[in-house]
Amino acid sequence: MAAKRFPVEAGHILMFARAVGDDNPVYSDEDAARKTEAGGIIAPPTFAQSSAQFDPDYFLRPKIGKPWFGSGKNPTGIVRSEGGSAGGGGGGGLHAEQHFEYHRPLRAGDVLTATVKPGKTWEKEGRRSGKLVFSESVTEYRDQNGELVITARGVGVRTERPVDQK
């Protein structure tokens, strides 16, 4: 869910901060940011998620002239097949958690490279949907010097079957 190369630009930081409603001057005002511990403009905590916008193959990104699966039920007539990536056995899947570990502030001017690897997997018995299968994906973001800047862990969960509507 991350581009292989992700340029971090001050304008993108500003737009992201505005989109999430955070008016902290450390994200937009170079003079104010210079006086902070960070010493300059930095990115908000969840900014690394926007790396998906730099990934031309991101599955939720529309492809010009091609049908795509967006965030609606069936926005372009594409219907998910049973047992697809949303979960096997007719169940469903969802994004359950996201964790970010910052090894240093993410700064305007950084160019990140992302490496994605699988993390832990575990199961739990659900009350209304059978077995729940949790799986973790770990993305390491390194800067232009190869320094580890962010470790992001996403957790997804699949259900064994559709939720009982009781």
Side-chain angles (χ1 to χ4, degrees):
M1 198 159 125
K4 294 199 183 313
R5 185 177 180 280
F6 175 36
V8 179
E9 299 171 2
H12 293 147
I13 291 172
L14 170 67
M15 289 186 288
F16 186 91
R18 285 180 176 168
V20 299
D22 193 335
D23 63 356
N24 188 328
V26 76
Y27 306 136
S28 60
D29 183 335
E30 184 65 46
D31 292 333
R34 204 175 292 120
K35 297 173 187 170
T36 67
E37 182 181 346
I41 290 180
I42 60 171
T46 59
F47 182 81
Q49 283 301 107
S50 64
S51 65
Q53 299 307 314
F54 288 83
D55 180 356
D57 298 320
Y58 181 53
F59 74 102
L60 289 178
R61 183 186 194 112
K63 311 291 187 289
I64 296 172
K66 295 182 182 180
W68 64 287
F69 188 84
S71 58
K73 182 176 180 183
N74 295 312
T76 58
I78 294 177
V79 178
R80 283 192 198 184
S81 61
E82 287 294 317
S85 64
L94 61 91
H95 181 90
E97 297 178 8
Q98 189 70 44
H99 305 267
F100 295 92
E101 179 182 354
Y102 278 76
H103 305 283
R104 71 157 174 84
L106 180 54
R107 302 181 184 288
D110 281 337
V111 178
L112 301 182
T113 303
T115 305
V116 181
K117 58 186 177 184
K120 301 174 187 170
T121 301
W122 64 98
E123 296 179 1
K124 179 180 176 183
E125 191 62 32
R127 289 181 293 206
R128 300 183 329 158
S129 60
K131 180 173 54 175
L132 303 172
V133 179
F134 295 84
S135 58
E136 185 179 64
S137 176
V138 179
T139 305
E140 292 182 342
Y141 294 91
R142 295 184 182 275
D143 69 10
Q144 58 280 1
N145 301 315
E147 180 185 344
L148 183 60
V149 179
I150 303 166
T151 303
R153 287 187 312 108
V155 178
V157 62
R158 285 182 292 111
T159 61
E160 183 175 34
R161 63 178 187 273
V163 173
D164 296 334
Q165 301 297 316
K166 295 179 184 177

